[in-house]
């Protein structure tokens, strides 16, 4: 800072006071005292006897007080000047300290602002990394669900070819206790699209299950049981896949009625076991 390079001249009032005292002593000894009246009867006496010893006590006291009064005043002025100089130096030191504190506050403000900006930047980077992580996570989930959707579609085609198509055009007869014999057949699933064939099968399994609920206890139904028994195991694999599918394919799963077809197929198998068990008894 600018004030650090400034060097102010300061007088050393202690040396000045010593110098003035010495000068005053020289003037007193060589100028003033010789100019005063001396003892006439002691011409060969020393300076003390010549100028001081022969004087009365009151004159000696007046002489000493007059001689040393300027010295006392000189040292009093020197003390005041030294005190003033020290106070001025203290004020300058305080001013410099205030300036340094002000500069330190400015530096601290700048550092705090830089730290705040760095924190904001770090938070932005963290948010950006978080967004990128979420995007990557969503992309991974989307890719996984798309893969599961493709597997579901391929499995649905295999189900249509290997399980549903063999059931197509199979006829059934169900003798009932009240309405006589119900005769029907499954649709020709081989000429249908897999989605339509599976949906159509659900309705026909429902009708067959309803007819078997009123089966005559003493008569045997004619049902393609071998093809129906293959349905529960095949459909359970689709039920296990549902939670891994995308939302669109989950809606497709529900619209095809795969879970209902599984329940109707198991119901048909279970109801066909009951009359057999009664006959054995």
């Amino acid at each position: 800072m600018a004030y650090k390079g400034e060097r102010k001249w300061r007088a050393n009032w202690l040396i000045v006071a010593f110098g003035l005292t010495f000068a005053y002593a020289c003037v007193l000894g060589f100028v003033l005292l010789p100019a005063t009246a001396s003892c006439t009867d002691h011409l060969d006496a020393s300076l003390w006897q010549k100028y001081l010893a022969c004087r009365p006590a009151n004159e000696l006291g007046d002489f000493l007080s007059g001689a040393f009064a300027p010295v006392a005043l000189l040292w009093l002025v020197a003390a005041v000047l030294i005190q003033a100089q020290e106070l001025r130096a203290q004020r300058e030191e305080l001013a410099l300290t205030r300036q340094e504190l002000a500069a330190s506050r400015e530096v601290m403000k700048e550092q705090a602002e830089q730290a705040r900006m760095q924190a904001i930047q770090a938070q932005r980077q963290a948010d950006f990394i978080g967004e990128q992580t979420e995007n990557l996570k969503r992309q991974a989930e989307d890719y996984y669900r798309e893969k599961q959707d493709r597997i579901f579609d391929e499995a649905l085609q295999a189900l249509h070819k290997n399980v549903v198509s063999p059931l197509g055009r199979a006829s059934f007869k169900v003798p009932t206790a009240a309405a006589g014999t119900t005769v029907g057949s499954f649709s020709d699933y081989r000429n249908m699209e897999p989605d339509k064939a599976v949906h159509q099968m659900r309705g026909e399994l429902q009708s067959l299950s309803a007819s078997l609920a009123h089966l005559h206890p003493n008569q045997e139904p004619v049902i393609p049981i071998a093809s129906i028994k293959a349905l529960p195991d095949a459909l359970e694999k689709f039920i296990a896949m549902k939670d891994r599918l995308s939302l669109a394919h989950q809606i497709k799963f529900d619209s095809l009625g795969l879970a209902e077809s599984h329940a109707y197929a198991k119901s048909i198998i279970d109801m066909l076991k009951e009359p057999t068990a009664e006959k054995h008894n």
Side-chain angles (χ1 to χ4, degrees):
M1 297 180 181
Y3 63 84
K4 290 185 178 180
E6 296 178 358
R7 300 182 64 181
K8 295 183 178 180
W9 179 84
R10 294 179 181 178
N12 192 331
W13 294 110
L14 188 63
I15 295 176
V16 173
F18 273 114
L20 292 177
T21 301
F22 178 76
Y24 175 74
C26 292
V27 171
L28 180 65
F30 295 103
V31 177
L32 297 178
L33 288 178
T36 59
S38 60
C39 298
T40 56
D41 55 349
H42 299 286
L43 297 178
D44 299 331
S46 63
L47 180 64
W48 171 262
Q49 293 175 345
K50 188 176 181 179
Y51 293 101
L52 299 176
C54 62
R55 299 188 181 281
N58 60 341
E59 291 182 5
L60 181 60
D62 293 339
F63 170 77
L64 293 176
S65 63
F68 288 99
V71 176
L73 178 63
L74 175 65
W75 280 95
L76 177 63
V77 173
V80 172
L81 292 176
I82 292 172
Q83 186 81 22
Q85 189 180 58
E86 293 296 328
L87 291 175
R88 189 180 304 109
Q90 290 180 359
R91 286 196 299 271
E92 292 176 356
E93 291 294 332
L94 290 175
L96 293 176
T97 302
R98 285 195 296 270
Q99 292 179 7
E100 291 178 354
L101 289 175
S104 299
R105 284 196 298 269
E106 291 297 326
V107 172
M108 292 178 65
K109 286 181 180 179
E110 293 178 358
Q111 292 177 348
E113 183 65 20
Q114 291 177 357
R116 189 179 70 84
M117 295 301 297
Q118 290 176 355
I120 293 174
Q121 187 66 23
Q123 183 62 40
R124 289 177 179 174
Q125 291 178 353
D127 294 340
F128 176 76
I129 293 173
E131 291 176 358
Q132 293 298 318
T133 303
E134 289 297 326
N135 291 333
L136 291 175
K137 182 179 179 181
R138 284 194 295 267
Q139 290 176 2
E141 290 178 353
D142 292 342
Y143 175 78
Y144 174 76
R145 293 190 181 278
E146 288 177 0
K147 182 178 179 180
Q148 294 301 316
D149 291 347
R150 290 194 299 269
I151 294 173
F152 176 84
D153 293 335
E154 293 174 358
L156 187 63
Q157 293 179 0
L159 176 70
H160 173 258
K161 179 179 179 181
N162 299 324
V163 180
V164 178
S165 293
L167 187 60
R169 301 186 66 179
S171 60
F172 57 85
K173 293 180 182 180
V174 180
T176 61
T181 301
T182 301
V183 178
S185 63
F186 291 94
S187 301
D188 188 1
Y189 303 131
R190 293 171 295 181
N191 298 324
M192 296 182 183
E193 292 294 327
D195 294 359
K196 184 177 180 181
V198 171
H199 184 269
Q200 183 73 19
M201 181 187 67
R202 183 199 67 81
E204 293 172 351
L205 287 173
Q206 181 181 12
S207 299
L208 179 57
S209 177
S211 300
L212 286 173
H214 304 284
L215 178 65
H216 195 285
N218 297 323
Q219 297 184 18
E220 291 285 345
V222 178
I223 294 174
I225 188 63
S227 299
I228 294 176
K229 283 184 177 180
L231 286 173
D233 292 339
L235 293 175
E236 282 178 0
K237 297 178 181 178
F238 284 87
I239 294 173
M241 294 174 58
K242 181 179 179 181
D243 293 337
R244 300 193 294 267
L245 299 175
S246 65
L247 180 60
H249 269 65
Q250 289 182 9
I251 295 173
K252 178 181 179 180
F253 179 94
D254 294 334
S255 65
L256 293 176
L258 293 171
E260 291 84 351
S261 297
H262 176 267
Y264 293 142
K266 288 194 67 176
S267 175
I268 292 170
I269 295 170
D270 292 339
M271 285 187 290
L272 288 176
K273 292 179 181 178
E274 292 177 1
T276 304
E278 292 176 359
K279 287 180 181 181
H280 284 297
N281 291 334

